[in-house]
Amino acid sequence: MYNLIIFLPLIGSILAWVFGDRLKSNLSFFSTIFCMILAMLFSWYGFFDIAINKNQFQGFSYPWLNSGNLYVNWELKFDTLSIVMMMVVTTVSCMVHIYSIGYMSHDHSKSRFMAYLSFFTFAMLILVSSNNLLQLFVGWEGVGVASYLLIGFWYKKKSANRAAIKAFVVNRIGDLGFAIGLIFIYMTFQSLDFDKIFQLTPSFVNISTTIFNFEVNVLEFSCFMLFIGAMGKSAQLFLHTWLPDAMEGPTPVSALIHAATMVTAGVFLVCRMSPLLEFAPFALNVITIVGAMTAIFAATIGLTQFDIKRVIAYSTCSQLGYMFFAAGVSAYPASMFHLTTHAFFKALLFLGAGSVIHAMSDEQDMRKMGGIWKKIPITYALMWVGSLALAGIPFFAGYYSKDLILEAAWAASSNSGYFAFWLGCLAAFLTAFYSWRLLLLTFHGNFNSSKEVLDHVHESPFVMLIPLFVLALGAIFSGWYFYNDFVGYNWKEFWGNSIFISEKHKAFKLAHYVPLWVKYLPIFLAILGILCAYLFYVLNPNLPKILSKKFSPIYNLFFNKWYFDELYDYLFVKSFIKFGNYFWKKGDEGTIDRFGPNGISKLVKNISSKSIIIQSGYIYHYAFAMLIGLVVLITWLLLDYGI
């Protein structure tokens, strides 16, 4: 049964792809959703059976690769960490599949869309259930391919094509780091199997190697390169630029990518490799710092964006930063806890935004919305639930997980921990501010579009609202429900051997005993952020324009996403284009074509054009040439033999 969790989405994908369009029916919807519902039910059963009741289950194992000293089995791993991820992935994916019935009903390629969704889910499940790094890498790349197909689903749009290519290329940079880390781990441990690697890790703590004349610790270097891979998938600072552009895909895609699948893969990888990372303090510090910087960086951009999906996308980027710096201070359970709660309320926000876009005739600019809450009251109420959870307001899901991360960062009592705490607190304030900015601009004030659009505004069909209600329940109750097992007094028993925390890393244990002001500061900042948003967009709507003009350099910096796209375009895109053009002109055309095939053919042509002159067509000319040749031959023979 547990094995079916992995392969049911693949079966649904194949059925939708092969038979959906041929039968001219809704088989693509029914087949994929039926398979996803079964996978979700099995994963929840597995969660209670494996994670709660501690029953053991060994997934199937088959020989896969046998080359020299490399022996790799295709083996599924069902422990607490993997089954939690399966539960999150299948639940959110199932809701997205159901939501797509209404959202994609008028699309001509809905069978292809449903096939891509299910394949995406299958690749993610392969990733989280792998028992070795190579198999995980297969799922990792499968997720990358599926994301390319989904982001570029509307391939006739140039912007969608560019976004898909951008996501693919940027992720390949991270994947290169992952591959290098994988290679170094195999060179060190002579194995890619998790159990063997983790068993041998303590004996390799002080082992070093030389790379480009620099001596580096093998564990530190391997962990750092794996984190580079995680940065790409989870859109951390410097490799984040693909994430906002991924909004070019249909809204259900945004919800799936940003809530439970692709972007959480990096967080899962870091938590899975906790037995290795615990012996790599430098790598942990890097993870902490990068995560904290991502949290505040993405939050500043979210303040200024007007595309409703992009605001939520940058929110995802910021929340992923929280998850990473939690892992960086060895609070892996808190990181997984926030991953779980975040999946519910972030999927709720994205699908809620999709309902708004659906009601607004595909309009995504919040400046053209406003005053529509009476038209779509259910969507409005559910967006409130998601925003309250995102802001960390008691007693919604985000309150339990995000606040614990900040407490763990403070309890780490390190420079990197304090750095993460203060940036995380500032990000909490900004998160609450831009969340209510979104609500107020979208649902309140005056309507800023045409009367035709206003007349069209209507509540989403029931099939699109069902997933929203389910996710809203998760956004409200998941923090309270999972708290004791995930991060409470039962956390050690719950996670078992799937997560390892060294005895010398006490941040997570001490997180429950921090000063009261540390516990209440994030709540205070969240409420302050909401009040500031109310001041800016209700009490004094002109204030944002005044401040944006007065502090235009800062505003432009945030609005233009810190000019990362422009910087990368200048440093890499344009320079590589110039580099390529130079070698095209000088190397390809100037050298290869000149002296290669084109040059040889030109030479033969020239020789032929000149030699044709001696072809007169007269017999006596040819006879005379033969006579001359014969004389020359006889002369050469006489001289050669000395006659």
Side-chain angles (χ1 to χ4, degrees), residues 618-628:
Y618 294 107
I619 295 178
Y620 65 87
H621 285 171
Y622 300 144
F624 181 73
M626 293 174 62
L627 179 62
I628 297 296

Side-chain angles (χ1 to χ4, degrees), residues 174 176-182 220-230:
L176 176 62
F178 187 113
I180 294 172
L182 187 150
E220 293 279 13
F221 183 78
S222 300
C223 290
F224 178 75
M225 297 311 297
L226 289 178
F227 176 60
I228 296 293

